[in-house]
């Protein structure tokens, strides 16, 4: 064994030498490009800027994969050895010395079994610490060969990963992906893939590794359009943010559902009934009526003053201009250009006719001047704006909530209690449920174009020229395959920051992604699915979640109903092995779910914990002190891992204060504290996360606190990888 360790150390050292050489070579190329950025035309400088960005991205990728560069080896039946790692490496003669885990030749590392060895004689797992090999473990297929006495094993690499202490950040599982996970990760890009799995089955890990796999396999398509990963909260994004960079992918947009509208970042939640109403598709119809109600002719004749000339404007003149604009089927603000142009043309004819009737003679130039006088007239501007006012999504939604009389006119069939759910002051912050409504409103309103449209036309011409120049530059600089013409053209702008596709996508509401990954998808409302459908009109999605964990009032009871606003056509895969939750804890959680009538996906835990779950019942007035004691008892067992206290939202602040009085700065509260040893969260914020130890406070209180509280309790009980304590208040 020592000899094998030494042999693997020599090979790993060779890989790191090559990695360092590639880093140095990339650094030299970057320095060369930067030194040449001073002279030449703007086009030359832009091309060099684009190349610098390529080398900067490559350097960032090489730095991120330094840890656990290689993690496996395949020994083929013919004796050929293939090393598997985070990225691919070639030696100086361009011969492969390390295979990227995503290439087809590496798939056997995850899929080979004794029953189906796929041409593989043995699979070796490499454990490393920094750049040192610390352990090797072999799985031998075709046991019984006289020339090979290595034992059939392979479980310890997985078990070591599962029992390792949590740090408040999710780590990749690239070295321990299991066969059922790998099959899902490598499935085709097209269409909608739904991955259903209970707690601990690795749904999030599968989704993120699938994102990395798709970015590698479909680089040309996705590098220009981008890939979006949507999570339930900012704390969840903080938890997963290191996974994709560690797999060599840095150009991905991560967004919580409260960040899907550019310029807005909210975690404010509506009360459940209001949230359910805002999430329903009836809001789409309401917004459509609200926009149409801002396109209305006056009830009677209006008199306008144009440089002292008084003109009576009949309502039908304005009504005809409105109908003409509506016939364009353009969004409100864009169609307003047609409305204003049509109305000004009709007003010019009416005013000219009135002047001719008074004896004035008008030439063609006089008509142009009359039109300009009408356009700049205060009375005419008021008349036209009253009939068709340009709007922002924020103003439309704020007015809808703050003007009950207008809302009542728009919803004559609604009961008053339903309208009351939307009432709020104009200055109140927008909520998570408002995000898709703002996006829907933006779709209905559109952008307000410039007066003449000349700027847009100039930008279109410049874009066409930039694409042609980019294609020429790629051929001349011999970097085909490293960058797309679209990405290079984006660096040719005269001014402004040099943005990646991911950076541009995150600030552009109209950006359409090549693929979207949605985690905890069971929580999304129909309006949120409508928003995501606009973000990916090709309907290329990976959707992961667990219907049994749905806590939203508007959540569906099956995937067909849940994603109907997105599509009726999807592929369903199920994960059936629980890697995170020890069997004893999983049993308690599943028994609780069944007792509360939840339909759960049956799964098998791969291990048991050495610690049995603890269930305590204490007097009501001792509950905070008992929680502090439970946390202290767990820290006595192991104070180096992470612990979360999960309680109904109304208890979180008081429990945090009680724990902080005992443990001080070690205690975090909610977001941005996941790296602290102890954190206090409500079930919604804890969703998707995992911790070494969990203390669940007042489980029946969690059930009673929310309309779907049983699902929230199921979430709380399944966050632990090692130990669980339940603290219950005694009945009054």
């Amino acid at each position: 064994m020592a000899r094998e360790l030494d042999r693997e150390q020599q090979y790993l050292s060779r890989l790191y030498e090559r990695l360092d050489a590639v880093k140095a070579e990339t650094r030299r190329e970057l320095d060369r490009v930067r030194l040449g950025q001073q002279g030449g035309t703007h086009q030359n400088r832009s091309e060099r800027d684009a190349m610098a960005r390529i080398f900067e991205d490559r350097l960032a990728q090489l730095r991120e994969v330094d840890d656990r560069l290689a993690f496996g080896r395949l020994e083929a039946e013919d004796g050929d050895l293939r090393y598997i790692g985070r990225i691919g490496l070639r030696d100086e003669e361009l011969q492969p010395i390390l295979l990227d885990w995503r290439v087809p030749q590496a798939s056997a590392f995850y899929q080979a079994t004794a029953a189906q060895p796929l041409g593989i004689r043995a699979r070796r797992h490499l454990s490393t610490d920094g750049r040192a090999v610390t352990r090797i473990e072999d799985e031998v297929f075709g046991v019984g060969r006289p020339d090979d006495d290595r034992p059939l094993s392979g479980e310890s690499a997985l078990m070591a990963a599962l029992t390792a202490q949590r740090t408040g950040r999710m780590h990749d599982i690239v070295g321990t992906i299991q066969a059922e996970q790998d099959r899902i990760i490598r499935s085709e890009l097209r269409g909608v893939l739904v991955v259903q799995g209970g707690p601990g089955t690795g749904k999030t890990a599968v989704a993120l590794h699938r994102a990395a796999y798709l970015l590698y396999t479909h680089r040309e398509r996705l590098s220009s359009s981008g890939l979006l990963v949507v999570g339930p909260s900012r704390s969840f994004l903080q938890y997963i943010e290191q996974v994709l960079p560690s797999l060599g992918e840095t150009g991905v947009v991560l967004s919580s559902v409260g960040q899907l509208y550019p310029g807005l970042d909210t975690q404010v939640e509506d009360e459940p009934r209001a949230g359910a109403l805002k999430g329903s598709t009836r809001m789409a119809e309401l917004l459509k009526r609200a926009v149409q109600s801002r396109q209305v002719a006056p009830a009677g004749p209006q008199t306008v003053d144009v440089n002292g000339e008084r003109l009576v404007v009949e309502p039908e003149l304005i009504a005809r201009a409105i109908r003409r604009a509506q016939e364009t089927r353009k969004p409100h603000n864009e169609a307003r250009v047609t409305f204003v142009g049509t109305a000004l043309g009709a007003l010019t004819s009416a005013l000219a006719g009135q002047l001719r009737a008074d004896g004035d003679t008008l030439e063609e130039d006089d008509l142009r001047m009359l039109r300009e006088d009408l356009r700049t007239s205060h009375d005419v501007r008021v008349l036209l704006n009253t009939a068709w006012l340009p709007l922002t999504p924020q103003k439309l939604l704020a007015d809808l909530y703050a003007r009950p009389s207008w809302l009542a006119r728009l919803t004559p069939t609604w009961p008053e209690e339903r309208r009351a759910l939307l009432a709020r002051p104009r200055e109140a912050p927008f909520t998570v449920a408002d995000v898709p409504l703002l996006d829907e409103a933006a779709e209905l309103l559109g952008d307000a174009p410039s007066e003449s449209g000349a700027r847009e036309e100039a930008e279109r011409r410049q874009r066409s020229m930039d694409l042609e120049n980019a294609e020429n530059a790629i051929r001349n600089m011999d970097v085909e395959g490293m960058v797309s013409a679209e990405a290079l053209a984006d660096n040719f702008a005269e001014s402004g920051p040099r943005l990646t596709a991911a950076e541009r996508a995150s600030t552009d509401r109209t950006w359409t992604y090549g693929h979207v990954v949605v985690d905890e998808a069971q929580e999304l409302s129909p309006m949120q699915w409508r928003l995501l459908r606009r973000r990916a009109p090709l309907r290329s999605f990976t959707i992961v979640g667990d219907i049994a964990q749905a806590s939203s009032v508007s959540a569906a009871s099956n995937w067909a109903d849940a994603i109907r606003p997105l599509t009726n056509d999807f592929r369903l895969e199920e994960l059936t092995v629980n890697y995170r939750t020890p069997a004893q804890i999983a049993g308690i959680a599943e028994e609780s779910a069944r007792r509360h009538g939840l339909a759960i996906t049956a799964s098998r835990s791969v291990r048991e914990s050495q610690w049995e779950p603890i269930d305590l019942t204490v007097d009501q007035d001792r509950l905070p002190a008992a929680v502090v004691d439970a946390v202290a008892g767990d820290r006595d067992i192991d104070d180096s891992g992470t612990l979360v206290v999960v309680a109904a939202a109304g208890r979180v602040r008081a429990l945090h204060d009680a724990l902080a009085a005992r443990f001080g700065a070690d205690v975090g509260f909610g977001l941005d504290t996941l790296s602290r040893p102890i954190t206090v969260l409500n079930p919604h914020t804890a969703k998707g996360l995992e911790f070494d130890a969990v203390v669940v406070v007042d489980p029946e209180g969690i059930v009673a606190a929310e309309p779907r509280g049983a699902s929230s309790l199921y979430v709380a009980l399944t966050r632990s990888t090692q130990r669980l304590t339940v603290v219950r208040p005694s009945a009054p």
Side-chain angles (χ1 to χ4, degrees):
M1 182 61 72
R3 187 168 55 194
E4 285 294 304
L5 276 172
D6 185 59
R7 182 179 302 155
E8 297 298 1
Q9 181 62 63
Q10 291 179 32
Y11 196 88
L12 186 65
S13 298
R14 178 189 173 196
L15 292 177
Y16 275 111
E17 286 174 9
R18 185 57 185 155
L19 178 67
D20 292 339
V22 174
K23 284 182 188 176
E25 182 181 340
T26 306
R27 168 59 66 184
R28 285 193 297 272
E29 289 296 317
L30 177 58
D31 292 342
R32 180 182 60 79
V33 170
R34 284 174 173 169
L35 286 173
Q37 285 181 345
Q38 302 306 315
T41 65
H42 167 70
Q43 187 72 34
N44 294 145
R45 292 193 301 273
S46 294
E47 290 176 9
R48 290 193 294 267
D49 284 348
M51 292 308 303
R53 186 59 177 263
I54 293 171
F55 291 127
E56 288 167 355
D57 290 346
R58 178 62 171 162
L59 268 179
Q61 179 196 48
L62 294 172
R63 293 190 191 103
E64 290 288 350
V65 300
D66 196 286
D67 183 41
R68 292 186 297 140
L69 173 64
F71 51 79
R73 190 192 78 178
L74 290 174
E75 180 184 338
E77 291 283 0
D78 60 8
D80 179 48
L81 299 180
R82 292 181 238 158
Y83 281 83
I84 315 299
R86 295 171 179 278
I87 61 169
L89 285 176
R90 293 177 179 270
D91 62 17
E92 292 81 353
E93 284 74 43
L94 301 183
Q95 295 303 307
I97 56 175
L98 182 66
L99 295 180
D100 190 298
W101 66 277
R102 294 167 284 195
V103 301
Q105 302 94 309
S107 62
F109 184 77
Y110 304 107
Q111 296 172 2
T113 64
Q116 291 184 309
L118 304 178
I120 301 302
R121 182 178 183 182
R123 170 170 51 213
R124 172 167 289 180
H125 296 268
L126 304 175
S127 299
T128 58
D129 183 3
R131 296 189 170 194
V133 180
T134 59
R135 182 175 179 174
I136 59 175
E137 179 188 13
D138 289 333
E139 292 175 88
V140 179
F141 307 122
V143 178
R145 294 186 177 195
D147 61 337
D148 199 335
D149 58 358
R150 290 173 293 183
L152 177 63
S153 59
E155 292 269 323
S156 61
L158 174 63
M159 288 303 166
L162 297 180
T163 57
Q165 288 181 338
R166 271 44 187 178
T167 63
R169 294 290 189 275
M170 183 179 183
H171 296 293
D172 65 76
I173 60 166
V174 65
T176 57
I177 293 171
Q178 301 300 292
E180 75 166 0
Q181 298 172 326
D182 186 71
R183 178 173 51 80
I184 294 170
I185 289 169
R186 295 177 190 267
S187 60
E188 58 186 333
L189 172 67
R190 67 165 186 84
V192 176
L193 172 65
V194 176
V195 182
Q196 160 68 31
T201 53
K203 299 183 297 297
T204 299
V206 167
L208 294 175
H209 287 70
R210 175 164 166 77
Y213 172 80
L214 294 176
L215 285 165
Y216 180 89
T217 309
H218 303 277
R219 179 76 61 191
E220 185 172 341
R221 170 178 168 180
L222 296 179
S223 64
S224 57
S225 59
L227 188 147
L228 171 67
V229 176
V230 179
S233 64
R234 260 190 266 152
S235 60
F236 177 82
L237 297 183
Q238 179 186 354
Y239 176 64
I240 69 170
E241 64 185 357
Q242 294 176 346
V243 174
L244 285 166
S246 74
L247 297 172
E249 300 297 344
T250 57
V252 178
V253 177
L254 300 180
S255 177
S256 70
V257 291
Q259 297 171 317
L260 286 172
Y261 188 80
L264 182 62
D265 183 356
T266 179
Q267 297 181 92
V268 180
E269 296 282 355
D270 289 283
E271 65 94 5
R273 290 185 304 152
L277 174 59
K278 289 181 178 183
S280 68
T281 53
R282 59 164 48 99
M283 292 299 294
E285 289 300 316
L286 173 57
L287 290 170
K288 186 175 180 180
R289 292 196 300 272
V291 171
Q292 291 171 344
S293 75
R294 296 299 183 95
Q295 304 165 4
V296 58
Q302 305 292 308
T303 301
V304 296
D305 186 295
V306 184
N307 290 340
E309 187 73 25
R310 297 178 65 78
L311 175 67
V312 176
V313 182
E314 295 297 330
E316 183 55 28
L317 184 151
I318 300 298
R320 283 197 301 271
I322 289 175
R323 289 194 295 271
R324 175 71 184 86
Q326 290 172 337
E327 287 168 359
T328 67
R329 298 189 180 278
K330 292 181 179 179
H332 175 88
N333 290 330
E334 297 170 25
R336 185 177 182 273
V337 175
T338 300
F339 163 72
V340 171
T342 303
L344 285 176
L347 289 170
T348 301
S349 296
L351 183 57
Q354 182 172 303
L355 292 173
R356 288 187 180 113
D358 291 341
D360 291 336
T361 301
L362 300 176
E363 303 293 337
E364 191 65 31
D365 287 345
D366 296 324
L367 292 177
R368 284 195 291 270
M369 293 179 63
L370 275 182
R371 185 183 179 97
E372 182 62 19
D373 288 342
L374 283 161
R375 189 185 69 80
T376 57
S377 164
H378 175 268
D379 287 359
V380 172
R381 287 203 305 271
V382 170
L383 174 65
L384 298 184
N385 282 340
T386 301
W388 194 305
L389 185 71
L391 291 167
T392 66
Q394 292 85 344
K395 176 170 173 52
L396 179 72
L397 204 58
D399 284 351
L400 194 64
Y401 294 157
R403 293 174 55 186
S405 58
W406 183 39
L407 179 60
R409 289 197 301 273
L410 293 173
T411 57
T413 62
W414 283 23
E416 184 56 39
E417 56 267 24
R418 182 184 297 165
R419 293 192 200 104
L421 295 173
L422 298 180
R424 47 155 256 186
R426 194 180 303 275
E427 66 277 6
F430 288 115
T431 67
V432 172
D434 287 327
V435 168
L437 304 185
L438 289 168
D439 195 77
E440 189 87 20
E443 198 74 9
L444 294 167
L445 296 173
D447 296 325
S450 62
E451 287 293 319
S452 64
R455 178 172 59 82
E456 287 87 346
E457 180 58 32
E459 288 176 350
R460 281 192 292 271
R461 288 197 302 269
Q462 183 63 49
R463 178 64 175 178
S464 178
M465 292 172 56
D466 285 347
L467 283 171
E468 182 178 351
N469 290 332
E471 290 167 357
N472 292 332
I474 288 172
R475 285 193 294 270
N476 294 338
M477 302 178 77
D478 193 26
V479 290
E480 290 183 85
M482 294 180 65
V483 64
S484 67
E486 290 81 2
L488 188 58
D490 293 328
N491 287 274
F492 288 172
E494 286 282 349
S495 60
R498 307 294 188 221
L499 301 178
T500 65
E503 290 166 338
R504 287 181 289 114
S506 64
T507 58
D508 182 355
R509 192 198 68 80
T510 62
W511 188 276
T512 56
Y513 292 91
H515 192 77
V516 176
V517 175
V518 187
D519 204 349
E520 299 295 344
Q522 73 277 355
E523 301 295 345
L524 266 60
S525 70
M527 290 302 294
Q528 288 166 335
W529 282 119
R530 284 172 65 93
L531 182 158
L532 290 176
R533 186 177 66 188
R534 290 190 287 272
R535 296 293 190 271
L538 294 179
R539 312 286 172 88
S540 181
F541 280 80
T542 298
I543 295 168
V544 301
D546 180 15
I547 289 293
Q549 294 186 61
S551 58
S552 168
V553 177
S554 57
S557 58
N558 61 74
W559 283 113
D561 290 341
I563 65 172
R564 184 166 287 121
L566 175 68
T567 184
N568 290 318
D569 184 19
F570 64 93
R571 316 187 306 276
L572 179 65
E573 295 279 1
E574 286 196 277
L575 294 169
T576 59
V577 180
N578 189 331
Y579 298 100
R580 177 181 67 219
T581 316
Q584 306 100 308
I585 298 176
I588 290 173
E590 291 176 3
E591 193 278 328
S592 170
R594 285 190 290 269
R595 189 171 67 251
H596 289 99
L598 292 182
I600 59 175
T601 301
S603 62
R604 174 179 59 84
S605 293
V606 299
R607 65 192 174 93
E608 292 191 355
S609 172
Q610 68 182 91
W611 297 280
E612 289 299 319
I614 298 172
D615 197 313
L616 303 173
T617 300
V618 300
D619 291 341
Q620 284 273 2
D621 57 358
R622 284 206 66 252
L623 187 66
V627 171
V628 172
D629 291 342
V631 171
D634 191 272
R635 302 312 283 174
D636 287 341
I637 295 173
D638 186 353
D639 63 358
S640 58
T642 58
L643 180 149
V644 66
V645 175
V646 186
R651 290 190 183 272
V652 168
R653 172 60 72 178
L655 289 172
H656 168 269
D657 293 346
L659 288 162
R662 173 77 172 268
F663 300 101
D666 281 352
V667 182
F669 174 67
L671 300 172
D672 306 321
T673 63
L674 296 182
S675 58
R676 305 255 183 109
I678 304 167
T679 304
V680 187
L681 302 173
N682 64 55
H684 175 75
T685 312
K687 185 165 291 187
L689 311 182
E690 58 183 35
F691 303 85
D692 294 290
V694 174
V695 177
V696 175
V697 181
D698 187 8
E700 293 309 315
I702 291 175
V703 173
E706 304 173 21
R708 299 187 66 160
S711 294
S712 295
L713 177 58
Y714 186 49
V715 169
L717 291 170
T718 53
R719 298 306 95 198
S720 174
T721 66
Q722 301 290 349
R723 298 178 298 281
L724 172 68
T725 301
V726 178
V727 183
R728 308 173 186 273
S730 59

